[in-house]
Structure formats: structure tokens, C-alpha cells
Amino acid sequence: MVLQPRLVIAKESCDSAVMHWKSNEISLRDSVKSLPQKINNIRAQMNEKFNKLLQDVEKDSTAFVKLQLIKGNENISKCDGLAMRFLTSLKFLDEVSIHGTPEQKFIAVHELNKQVKLAQKEVEHECDQLETVDISLKMNETSAPKDIIEDKNRLGALKIQTNKVTIDHVRGQRPVNLKLAKIIYLTKSENDKHEPLLNGVDFLPGGRLIAIDNMNDELLVFDDCLEKTGSIDLSYHPLSVVAVSEDTVAITSATGGNHQVELLYVSESSTLVNIKTYKVNGRYNSACLKDDNNLVIGTFDAIKLARILSLSGEEKDFSVNFHSKPYHPDTVSCTYIKELDKVIISDLDENLLYIYDVATNTRVIVRDSKIDGPTGVAVGPMNSVFVCCQNTNSVVQISPTGVILSSHMLDMRFPFSICISKDKTKLAVSNRRKEKRTLQVFKIN
């Protein structure tokens, strides 16, 4: 029958299809079963490449760091040697300037000038070697694993990037910009006997400004907008004021034999209350904070031009040979760089600044045409010193090593008192001109 072969063929086709699906099922199971092993093989091969990369990176980085340390130690040794030479020269120059004859001073300066010219070339050379080095791992993100396994491409490599840096960058010193934020004109009120004169100013940590009116024997408190929010009459002639905590200020007085320091509490509503008053031995005309428990006090009519005064009234001397000169209280001012243990003293008569390094008992004398009539001094960003110069109506910024960084002209005559906020973002300055006395606050950028 014709039908029978057709049925046989149809059955064979079905049997073949079943066999195919069964075979395909076995093949799929075998393929899936082998996948983990293939992956493990690839992982093992890649792990070998990672291990090789790790070994190469450790070897290369260790060798590079060793070379950098050798180079760095050589540069450190050279710079330390130069620094010791300069320190010796500074001490020698100080001794000659204090005890030497005019002829000895001339010879010393002449000889040191020659030495400094030669040494400066060495310093410039060492400064030219300054650099930063960044070490990182650069992975190969584009090559296929097969190419990496077959060593056609590397898995990754050590990346070394060297950048030159300048000595100014290392010092962290840069000129700042001052932008006028607030200004008030100081005028005589009904209760004042004289035109106000702010002989000292400082910022409380919260941002309020405190000031002493030297002519009317008064302590004033101003808010952020320079609105007067509080005041108190003083029974003595104040010379300086400093914020010693969030709500406490210290005022010095050294007139009429009344040498004292008064601590006052300043409430949030600017109410002022006496905490305590104690007698001191020195005549103090400027003050700044040394640490939580001590002040650095500038003196006048004394051999020790700066002293340490604890908030409990204990007076101590710095281990520094200050220059000996009796000053009028308006011709000298003092501040202190806490991080560097340096005392700064301005000299109005000589138009210069002294920077005393307490740790080494050395000093740098800063003399420049921009420093003309220096009065108040304060420490700002990057430990820069800011000094009022009344003859040029400006504030000059100086690095802690004595380099002039910038000079800012002010819209006021005879700037005298200066302070900088605790966060180093604001600067306040007042003047001593008979007319148009002002208090100005600047933003530091």
C-alpha cells in the first residue's frame, strides 16, 4: 500500500526529532557543565597575570621610592646645611649689631653680603629641585582577556607623574585680596566727652567685633553689620583689648601707675560684666592670644618687648634676646604666630618690623619702602603678618619669613588698629586721623 511507506517515514522523522532533542539536551548539559571549568581556567590565567602585575608593581614602586628617598635625603641634607649656615650668620650679625663697633659692623655686613650672594645661588638651585610625585596604577581597560592571557597586551602598569613646584607653593604663601564689606564713621555721641578713638579692636569667635575707645574710656561691642549692640564705661584708660574665648575679653591698662588687666564677660545680648581684675608689673599696650590659657603682651618703656601673661595673672618672659629700646606706647605693637612660635614687633620710629624666632633665638628685620609708619599688627591666613602703615594709608601683608607679599591701599588716613577674625576670613582696621575716623571691615579672599 502507498500509505504504509508514508507512515514509516513519518515515524522515522518523529524518532529522529526525538533523538535530536535528547542529544541536544545532553550536549547542552555537557556544555553548561564545562563552563565553570573554562571560567576557572580563565580566572586562573588572569590571576597569574594579576600576580605578575602585583610583583612588577611592587618591584618597580620599591625601586622608584628608594631612588626618591635617596634624592630627597640628599636635598634635605643640603638644605639643612644651608639653613645652619644662615642661622649662624644671623646670630653673628645680631651679636655684631648689638656689641660691635661701627667698623666691625661694616666689615661684618660686607663679608656676609659676599657669602649671601654665593649661598643664594645654592638656595635657588635647591628650590629648582622641588617637585611632587604621584604614583598610581593604570589598568588596561581596552584589551580583550585573550590578548592579555596570550601576552599580547599587559594587564596594567605603574604610572608615575612628576610635577615641578615653586618655593612659594611649598611655603603656602600668596597675596590675599581685601574687599571692603562694612564701614562706619565714628562720631561723638551725647555721652562722649571726646571724639572716639579706637585704640584696639578684635573679633570674638562668633563674629562680633569688640573695640576700646581710648579717648572716652569705653569698651564697645559691634555686630556683623557694625551696629553697636553694647558698651561699658571703664574706670581706667584702656590700651588694648583681646578676645580670649567665646564670651570673654581682656583689656590692658598702664596709665597713671594703674598697670592692670581686666577680664570681662560678654553675653549674647552684648551685656558686659566684670569677671576679675588683677595688677601686673609691666606696662602693656598690645595683646594677642597665645593659647587657651596665655596671652602674648607687647610692652613699652621696657627691655623685654614682649612677655607671656597667663589668664590668672602670672607673668613670664620669652627666651629671646629682644632688642633693647624704650618705646612710646603709640610707636610699638606686638603680635604672635602660634604655629611658628614667632613674635612680631613693629617699630614706628625706624619704619621696620622685627620677626623673632623663639625656637632659635634669632630675628629677621623687615625693612621696605612699603613699610612706612608701621603701627598695629595682626596674624592672618597662611600665618602672614598684616601691618598698618599710617604714612602710606595701607595694610601690608608680609610672610612669616619677612617677604613682602602685597600692599593694600585703604580709604582712610593714618590706619592704626587692626585685627583678623579667628577663621581668618575678615580683617578690621581703624584709624587715628583727627577728622573722618572710621572702622572698616574687609573680606579676605
Side-chain angles (χ1 to χ4, degrees), residues 240 252 283-288 296-300 304-307 332-335 345:
S240 66
T252 67
R283 306 183 73 183
Y284 303 146
N285 71 321
S286 57
C288 64
V296 173
I297 305 291
T299 70
F300 62 99
K304 294 292 185 179
L305 297 176
R307 304 191 74 193
V332 64
S333 187
C334 170
T335 192
I345 296 173

Side-chain angles (χ1 to χ4, degrees), residues 50-65:
F50 274 107
N51 290 336
K52 181 64 168 57
L53 175 63
L54 178 61
Q55 293 172 3
D56 291 344
V57 166
E58 287 180 342
K59 179 182 177 182
D60 294 345
S61 59
T62 300
F64 180 76
V65 169

Side-chain angles (χ1 to χ4, degrees), residues 17-33:
V18 169
M19 291 180 61
H20 167 76
W21 288 115
K22 289 183 177 181
S23 175
N24 187 60
E25 180 181 351
I26 295 171
S27 178
L28 282 173
R29 291 184 184 278
D30 290 342
S31 297
V32 170
K33 187 176 180 179

Side-chain angles (χ1 to χ4, degrees), residues 313-381:
E314 181 184 357
E315 297 164 275
K316 296 186 297 183
D317 291 325
F318 281 101
S319 57
V320 173
N321 296 324
F322 291 112
H323 64 283
S324 178
K325 178 181 176 180
Y327 286 92
H328 183 276
D330 289 344
T331 63
V332 64
S333 187
C334 170
T335 192
Y336 177 75
I337 304 176
K338 177 181 177 181
E339 288 80 2
L340 303 177
D341 199 12
K342 290 187 176 185
V343 178
I344 316 298
I345 296 173
S346 67
D347 186 325
L348 177 67
D349 299 326
E350 301 295 332
N351 291 322
L352 54 82
L353 258 69
Y354 294 92
I355 301 177
Y356 283 94
D357 190 319
V358 177
T360 61
N361 192 20
T362 57
R363 72 181 182 186
V364 172
I365 299 176
V366 184
R367 194 189 300 270
D368 190 274
S369 60
K370 293 184 176 65
I371 302 175
D372 193 358
T375 52
V377 287
V379 178

